[in-house]
Each structure stands twice: as structure tokens, then as C-alpha cells.
Amino acid sequence: MATTHLKHDLRAVATHFQIAGEFKEAAPYGSGHINDTYAVVFNQNGGSVRYIFQRINHSIFKNPAALMENVERVTSHVRRKLEARNADQITRRVLTLVPTREGRPWHAGADGNHWRCYLFVEQAATYDQITKATQAREAAKAFGLFQRQLADLPSPRLHETIPNFHHSRRRFDALRAAIEEDACNRAATVKQEIDFCLRHEPMVDVLLDLQARGLVPERVTHNDTKLNNVMLDDATSEGICVIDLDTVMPGLALYDFGDMCRTGCSPTAEDERDLAKVVARMDIFEALVRGYLATAGEFLNTVEKDHLVFSARLITFEIGIRFLTDHLQGDQYFKIHREGHNADRARVQFKMVESFEQHGAAMDKVVKESND
Ligand code: ADP
Ligand code: GN1
Ligand code: MG
């Protein structure tokens, strides 16, 4: 791994953290759309030890101190739960922050960048696309367990690291504003996608209305349960560690379940260009429902359970709206790697929404049978 061409000087960043041994090398890592993530290798006692370094994207996360306070509280709480039940391999089951030399949970650089360092969860991997139902079941179990572990997080309420993150009405209204503004003259080229969104507008108020009526409760949720945000154990496929904790904050359990379906049920990457391949996999949906209910079933209420199928459509639609909005606004939010990337991503989401609609009856049946 060469380190010279990197956007950031990881060797210099690493000097701020309590890590023994000599810096060996650093390389960009993972496929996240938001932060800059690096795997950094140190020589320790003759062996190589890896760490994860992340530059927090502070144009998206405006208050890194509040974000890191959340991450610290959440990881400590989960760690205490694991210790209480004498769990093995605790540093593989919850993210562990490596403190800075001053004993702080992150480093604020003079250049305005904020860095954190985690122990590397070894012998486990994340998958941008899963292939097997077992992986889906294990991932969903892990996200459900994560919600359960955080159900008794002591007050105060966690900070909202991105306010109204899953407020689908506001996401829809932002899209409408972006269409009207059409800052990059792109609206005409995505007319079909815009029409799709306008036709589906009524969906965006459903969960917000249920919440306003007190029928679905606010909980501590992950809010970014893309399946590549859980590490699966290489040997057993167990969902060993939930990662990417930047958006852990108050939310609805259904937002988490919906995003598992969006990413898990699609047989293609999020940016597939051949839409004929984008068809929701029902075997995966069934595995997600079973896995999620295995750990979350005991605390979800009936209204939440009754909206599992709907949440898959809603969150897929919502993320599609966000990709389309970003495309119209000139790709300012999500990292892109080619022209039209966000429009491609949006199309995949809308095709998945259609596919979920077509499979509605089968999905209802899966949930009904899993609840019996
Ligand atoms: P982003 O917000 O950009 O998606 P993530 O926190 O999800 O950033 O990290 C990006 C990728 O880095 C993950 O998909 C995962 O593969 C890897 N990763 C993150 N944290 C760890 C860790 N502690 N151990 C091993 N791999 C990790
Ligand atoms: C982003 O950080 P990452 O790549 O796991 C985004 C999610 C989207 C997802 C779409 C903070 O997730 O909300 O669903 O991309 N995270 C943030 O792939 O906006
Ligand atoms: Mg991620």
C-alpha cells in the first residue's frame, strides 16, 4: 500500500492517537458515500495491526463534537451490556474508539478536519451486495439487537446529528424545490423519475402521521442500516458488529427495517444501470423479516409490525428522492464516481419501489406468517 498519493497525510494524523509501534502504511478503505475512511497499518512487536481512521465529513455533520458524544455514549452503553452478559470478543462486537494522546475520543486538526480512530474489526467483512439469505438474516438480527441494546440508553436524548434526517415530507419538499430551481438544467433529462416521485407523494406522510398520533414511538435507531454497515463474521456469517454510527439518534424502528430491505433485497449494486436486473428478492425479504423479528420482535408494537412491508417501500423511495435531489443540485452531497451517478442511483431505488409494490401481497404474507 503506497501512502504518498493520499488526499490526507495519515502518518501525521496517526501521531495524535494512542497507538503503539511504528506507522507502516495507509490506504483508502470501503465504499461509503460520506466520510473518508482509511485502513492504517502499524508494526507492533513484529506483527501488523490495522486500524480504521475516518475523517468526519463536517460539511454534512455540522457538529462533530455532538456526533462524537453520541458515538461515545452509544458504544459505551453497548459495551456495558456485552460485559454484563460476559460476551466473548467484545472488541469485535462493538466499535472501540482509540483515544487521542490527550485522552479525547477524536482529534480536531488545525486544518479544520476532525479525525477518529477505531480498532479494526478483523475476520469479518461488509458486503455492498449480499448474495445469500443467511447473510440477510444475520445482518437484520444484528440491527434488531442493536436497537434492543439501546432501548434503555439513559437520558438525555441523543443529539440529532442531521436534523430531520428521515423526515420524508421534508425530503419530498426539498426535491420539489430542487425541481423548481433546476440549478444545473437537469430536470428535463429526469422527467420520468420526477413524475414517479410526484405520483408517489402520498407515501411520505404515512409514518409521520402515525408518529404524530402516538401510534409509533420514537426510539434510538441507527438510521443508516445499509447492509454494508454491519460486519459479518467470516467464519459464521454472524452480524458481529454494527458500524457507521454517525446517524444513531432518535428515529423510528421502521426506518431501520426499511433500509435493510432497500439494500438487502436488491440483487444489484445501488447504482446498477441495467434496470431489468433490479427486482426485489423475496427470499431475502423473508430472511430480513425473520432475522429482524428474532431480536426486535419482542419490543415492536403491532402498528410497527403492520408497517414493515410499507417501510421497505417508503425508505427506498426516500433515498431515491435524496439521490434525485442531489443530482438536480449538482451532486453536492453524495460522493459520485461518474457523470449521472446520482440519477442512476435514484432510478434503481424507484425500480425497487415498483418491484416492492408488485410483490406487496407476497410480502404481507411473509410478515403475517412470521408473526404467527
Ligand atoms: P461511511 O459513513 O462513509 O459509509 P463507514 O463507517 O461505513 O463510512 O466505513 C466505511 C467502510 O469501512 C465500511 O463499509 C467497512 O467496510 C469499513 N469499516 C468501518 N469501520 C470499520 C472497523 N472498525 N473495522 C473494519 N472495517 C471497518
Ligand atoms: C449514505 O454513509 P453511507 O454511505 O453508509 C447516507 C445514507 C444513504 C446512503 C445511500 C449520512 O450512507 O443516508 O442511505 O448513503 N448517509 C448519510 O447509499 O447521509
Ligand atoms: Mg457506511
CSV table of all heavy atoms in Angstrom, one decimal, residues 21-45:
chain,number,residue,atom,x,y,z
A,21,GLY,N,3.9,1.3,18.5
A,21,GLY,CA,4.5,0.8,17.3
A,21,GLY,C,4.8,1.8,16.3
A,21,GLY,O,4.6,3.0,16.5
A,22,GLU,N,5.2,1.3,15.1
A,22,GLU,CA,5.5,2.3,14.0
A,22,GLU,C,4.5,2.3,12.9
A,22,GLU,O,4.0,1.2,12.5
A,22,GLU,CB,6.9,1.9,13.3
A,22,GLU,CG,8.1,1.8,14.3
A,22,GLU,CD,8.2,0.4,14.8
A,22,GLU,OE1,8.2,-0.5,14.0
A,22,GLU,OE2,8.3,0.3,16.0
A,23,PHE,N,4.2,3.4,12.4
A,23,PHE,CA,3.3,3.6,11.3
A,23,PHE,C,3.9,2.9,10.1
A,23,PHE,O,5.1,3.0,9.8
A,23,PHE,CB,3.1,5.1,10.9
A,23,PHE,CG,2.3,5.4,9.7
A,23,PHE,CD1,1.0,5.7,9.8
A,23,PHE,CD2,2.9,5.4,8.4
A,23,PHE,CE1,0.2,6.0,8.7
A,23,PHE,CE2,2.1,5.6,7.3
A,23,PHE,CZ,0.8,5.9,7.4
A,24,LYS,N,3.1,2.0,9.4
A,24,LYS,CA,3.6,1.3,8.2
A,24,LYS,C,3.0,1.8,6.9
A,24,LYS,O,3.7,2.3,6.1
A,24,LYS,CB,3.3,-0.2,8.4
A,24,LYS,CG,4.1,-1.1,7.6
A,24,LYS,CD,4.0,-2.5,8.1
A,24,LYS,CE,4.2,-3.6,7.0
A,24,LYS,NZ,3.7,-4.9,7.4
A,25,GLU,N,1.7,1.8,6.8
A,25,GLU,CA,1.1,2.2,5.6
A,25,GLU,C,-0.4,2.6,5.8
A,25,GLU,O,-1.0,2.2,6.8
A,25,GLU,CB,1.2,1.2,4.5
A,25,GLU,CG,0.7,-0.2,4.9
A,25,GLU,CD,1.2,-1.3,4.0
A,25,GLU,OE1,2.0,-1.0,3.1
A,25,GLU,OE2,0.8,-2.4,4.2
A,26,ALA,N,-0.9,3.3,4.8
A,26,ALA,CA,-2.4,3.7,4.9
A,26,ALA,C,-3.0,3.6,3.5
A,26,ALA,O,-2.3,3.9,2.5
A,26,ALA,CB,-2.5,5.1,5.4
A,27,ALA,N,-4.2,3.2,3.4
A,27,ALA,CA,-4.9,3.2,2.1
A,27,ALA,C,-6.4,3.5,2.3
A,27,ALA,O,-7.0,3.1,3.3
A,27,ALA,CB,-4.7,1.8,1.5
A,28,PRO,N,-7.0,4.1,1.3
A,28,PRO,CA,-8.5,4.3,1.4
A,28,PRO,C,-9.2,3.0,1.6
A,28,PRO,O,-8.7,2.0,1.0
A,28,PRO,CB,-8.8,5.0,0.1
A,28,PRO,CG,-7.5,5.5,-0.5
A,28,PRO,CD,-6.5,4.6,0.1
A,29,TYR,N,-10.3,3.0,2.3
A,29,TYR,CA,-10.9,1.8,2.6
A,29,TYR,C,-12.5,1.9,2.5
A,29,TYR,O,-13.0,2.9,2.9
A,29,TYR,CB,-10.6,1.4,4.0
A,29,TYR,CG,-10.8,-0.1,4.3
A,29,TYR,CD1,-9.9,-1.1,3.8
A,29,TYR,CD2,-11.9,-0.5,5.0
A,29,TYR,CE1,-10.2,-2.4,4.0
A,29,TYR,CE2,-12.2,-1.8,5.3
A,29,TYR,CZ,-11.3,-2.8,4.8
A,29,TYR,OH,-11.5,-4.1,5.0
A,30,GLY,N,-13.1,0.9,2.0
A,30,GLY,CA,-14.6,0.8,2.0
A,30,GLY,C,-15.2,1.6,0.8
A,30,GLY,O,-14.5,2.2,0.0
A,31,SER,N,-16.5,1.6,0.8
A,31,SER,CA,-17.2,2.3,-0.3
A,31,SER,C,-18.3,3.2,0.2
A,31,SER,O,-19.3,3.4,-0.4
A,31,SER,CB,-17.8,1.2,-1.2
A,31,SER,OG,-18.6,0.4,-0.4
A,32,GLY,N,-18.1,3.8,1.4
A,32,GLY,CA,-19.1,4.8,1.9
A,32,GLY,C,-19.2,6.0,1.1
A,32,GLY,O,-18.3,6.4,0.4
A,33,HIS,N,-20.4,6.6,1.1
A,33,HIS,CA,-20.6,7.8,0.3
A,33,HIS,C,-20.3,9.1,1.1
A,33,HIS,O,-20.4,10.2,0.5
A,33,HIS,CB,-22.1,7.9,-0.1
A,33,HIS,CG,-22.6,6.8,-0.9
A,33,HIS,ND1,-21.8,6.1,-1.7
A,33,HIS,CD2,-23.8,6.3,-1.1
A,33,HIS,CE1,-22.5,5.2,-2.4
A,33,HIS,NE2,-23.8,5.3,-2.0
A,34,ILE,N,-19.9,9.1,2.4
A,34,ILE,CA,-19.9,10.3,3.1
A,34,ILE,C,-18.5,10.6,3.7
A,34,ILE,O,-18.0,11.7,3.4
A,34,ILE,CB,-20.9,10.2,4.3
A,34,ILE,CG1,-22.3,9.8,3.8
A,34,ILE,CG2,-21.0,11.5,5.1
A,34,ILE,CD1,-23.0,10.8,2.9
A,35,ASN,N,-18.0,9.8,4.6
A,35,ASN,CA,-16.8,10.1,5.2
A,35,ASN,C,-15.6,9.6,4.4
A,35,ASN,O,-15.7,8.9,3.4
A,35,ASN,CB,-16.7,9.4,6.6
A,35,ASN,CG,-17.8,9.9,7.5
A,35,ASN,OD1,-17.9,11.1,7.6
A,35,ASN,ND2,-18.5,9.0,8.2
A,36,ASP,N,-14.4,10.0,4.8
A,36,ASP,CA,-13.2,9.5,4.2
A,36,ASP,C,-12.6,8.4,5.1
A,36,ASP,O,-12.3,8.8,6.3
A,36,ASP,CB,-12.1,10.6,4.0
A,36,ASP,CG,-12.6,11.6,2.9
A,36,ASP,OD1,-13.3,11.2,2.0
A,36,ASP,OD2,-12.2,12.8,3.1
A,37,THR,N,-12.6,7.2,4.7
A,37,THR,CA,-12.2,6.1,5.6
A,37,THR,C,-10.8,5.5,5.1
A,37,THR,O,-10.7,5.3,3.9
A,37,THR,CB,-13.3,5.0,5.6
A,37,THR,OG1,-14.5,5.6,6.0
A,37,THR,CG2,-12.9,3.8,6.5
A,38,TYR,N,-9.9,5.2,6.0
A,38,TYR,CA,-8.6,4.7,5.7
A,38,TYR,C,-8.3,3.5,6.6
A,38,TYR,O,-8.7,3.5,7.8
A,38,TYR,CB,-7.5,5.7,5.9
A,38,TYR,CG,-7.6,6.9,5.0
A,38,TYR,CD1,-8.4,8.0,5.4
A,38,TYR,CD2,-7.0,6.9,3.8
A,38,TYR,CE1,-8.5,9.1,4.5
A,38,TYR,CE2,-7.1,8.0,2.9
A,38,TYR,CZ,-7.9,9.1,3.3
A,38,TYR,OH,-8.0,10.2,2.5
A,39,ALA,N,-7.7,2.4,6.0
A,39,ALA,CA,-7.1,1.4,6.8
A,39,ALA,C,-5.7,1.7,7.0
A,39,ALA,O,-5.0,2.0,6.0
A,39,ALA,CB,-7.3,0.0,6.1
A,40,VAL,N,-5.3,1.8,8.3
A,40,VAL,CA,-3.9,2.2,8.6
A,40,VAL,C,-3.2,1.0,9.3
A,40,VAL,O,-3.8,0.5,10.3
A,40,VAL,CB,-3.9,3.5,9.5
A,40,VAL,CG1,-2.5,3.9,9.8
A,40,VAL,CG2,-4.6,4.6,8.7
A,41,VAL,N,-2.0,0.7,8.8
A,41,VAL,CA,-1.3,-0.5,9.4
A,41,VAL,C,-0.1,0.0,10.3
A,41,VAL,O,0.6,0.9,9.8
A,41,VAL,CB,-0.8,-1.4,8.3
A,41,VAL,CG1,-0.2,-2.7,8.9
A,41,VAL,CG2,-1.9,-1.8,7.4
A,42,PHE,N,0.0,-0.6,11.5
A,42,PHE,CA,1.1,-0.3,12.3
A,42,PHE,C,1.9,-1.6,12.5
A,42,PHE,O,1.3,-2.7,12.6
A,42,PHE,CB,0.6,0.2,13.7
A,42,PHE,CG,0.4,1.7,13.7
A,42,PHE,CD1,-0.7,2.2,13.1
A,42,PHE,CD2,1.3,2.5,14.4
A,42,PHE,CE1,-0.9,3.6,13.1
A,42,PHE,CE2,1.1,3.9,14.4
A,42,PHE,CZ,0.0,4.4,13.7
A,43,ASN,N,3.2,-1.5,12.7
A,43,ASN,CA,4.1,-2.6,13.1
A,43,ASN,C,4.0,-2.6,14.7
A,43,ASN,O,4.4,-1.6,15.3
A,43,ASN,CB,5.5,-2.3,12.8
A,43,ASN,CG,5.9,-3.0,11.5
A,43,ASN,OD1,5.4,-4.1,11.3
A,43,ASN,ND2,6.8,-2.4,10.7
A,44,GLN,N,3.6,-3.7,15.2
A,44,GLN,CA,3.6,-3.8,16.7
A,44,GLN,C,4.2,-5.1,17.1
A,44,GLN,O,3.7,-6.2,16.7
A,44,GLN,CB,2.2,-3.7,17.2
A,44,GLN,CG,1.6,-2.2,17.2
A,44,GLN,CD,0.2,-2.1,17.6
A,44,GLN,OE1,-0.4,-3.1,18.0
A,44,GLN,NE2,-0.4,-0.9,17.5
A,45,ASN,N,5.3,-5.0,17.8
A,45,ASN,CA,6.0,-6.3,18.2
A,45,ASN,C,6.2,-7.2,17.1
A,45,ASN,O,6.0,-8.4,17.2
A,45,ASN,CB,5.2,-7.0,19.3
A,45,ASN,CG,4.9,-6.0,20.5
A,45,ASN,OD1,5.8,-5.2,20.9
A,45,ASN,ND2,3.7,-6.1,21.0
